[in-house]
Amino acid sequence: MVEHRTPAVTAPAEEYLEAVCRITERGGLATPTELARELDVSPPSVVGMLRRMTNQGLITYARRTGAVLTDRGRDAADTLRRRHRLAERLLTDLLGMPWERAHDVACRFEHVIDAEVEDYLMPALNHPTTCPHGNPIGEDDRAHLQSLSDMVVGQSGELRCVVDESGDGLDYLK
């Protein structure tokens, strides 16, 4: 009898999964052009990766819809994002790294955190519910939040999370 194993998701594929999430959360289509821009890679390399990810069952792809995560792709993306946000908490809460630097460093950490390490990190970090930038570690409960860009001049509010964790944006907010 032959055992069929689902191939592990590679670090480059994980980066693509995260990019698909970011683009679709902004309301865009995860087209090769958008993914190339988001990941700062060439469009032909995006097409090749989309083909591999489709074969692995991580996404479906069509020109009119762009890349769409499958259930397997969504699970892998959610796991990676949770581990990224835990890494950010580790870096800021325990190591004292400035919050505007933690995102970039956590991008490297997230690929080596596994379920066992997660089990140790959660109590060590006092079971955080958000990353230092306010994004959820577990279930996404941001539906009740209003985007800053949707507010009108003179309207007040409290900044609860920073969705764009790029270095320039975080430096500005610091």
Side-chain angles (χ1 to χ4, degrees), residues 72-154:
R72 179 170 182 251
R74 170 64 59 196
D75 289 346
D78 289 347
T79 297
L80 184 67
R81 294 169 98 189
R82 183 177 63 252
R83 291 173 180 173
H84 174 94
R85 291 168 181 167
L86 283 172
E88 288 178 326
R89 277 287 173 201
L90 169 70
L91 293 166
T92 58
D93 296 3
L94 293 181
L95 302 181
M97 180 175 276
W99 78 305
E100 67 275 10
R101 284 285 307 128
H103 174 74
D104 290 336
V105 176
C107 286
R108 296 189 303 266
F109 271 52
E110 68 193 22
H111 301 289
V112 296
I113 296 174
D114 61 14
E116 180 182 14
V117 173
E118 268 190 83
D119 289 343
Y120 283 98
L121 276 175
M122 286 301 285
L125 297 169
N126 294 316
H127 302 278
T129 57
T130 65
C131 77
H133 313 105
N135 293 298
I137 288 177
E139 292 295 316
D140 193 343
D141 63 350
R142 295 179 293 181
H144 67 283
L145 299 179
Q146 180 181 13
S147 173
L148 188 59
S149 62
D150 292 337
M151 295 179 74
V152 296
V153 174

Side-chain angles (χ1 to χ4, degrees), residues 29-107:
L29 295 178
T31 63
T33 303
E34 281 302 309
L35 285 163
R37 186 180 347 231
E38 185 81 15
L39 295 165
D40 196 25
V41 296
S42 70
S45 65
V46 171
V47 172
M49 179 59 85
L50 292 179
R51 190 173 301 119
R52 287 188 294 280
M53 292 172 68
T54 298
N55 291 339
Q56 291 180 326
L58 298 169
I59 64 164
T60 59
Y61 175 75
R63 282 183 184 233
R64 69 183 198 329
T65 60
V68 176
L69 299 178
T70 62
D71 288 343
R72 179 170 182 251
R74 170 64 59 196
D75 289 346
D78 289 347
T79 297
L80 184 67
R81 294 169 98 189
R82 183 177 63 252
R83 291 173 180 173
H84 174 94
R85 291 168 181 167
L86 283 172
E88 288 178 326
R89 277 287 173 201
L90 169 70
L91 293 166
T92 58
D93 296 3
L94 293 181
L95 302 181
M97 180 175 276
W99 78 305
E100 67 275 10
R101 284 285 307 128
H103 174 74
D104 290 336
V105 176
C107 286

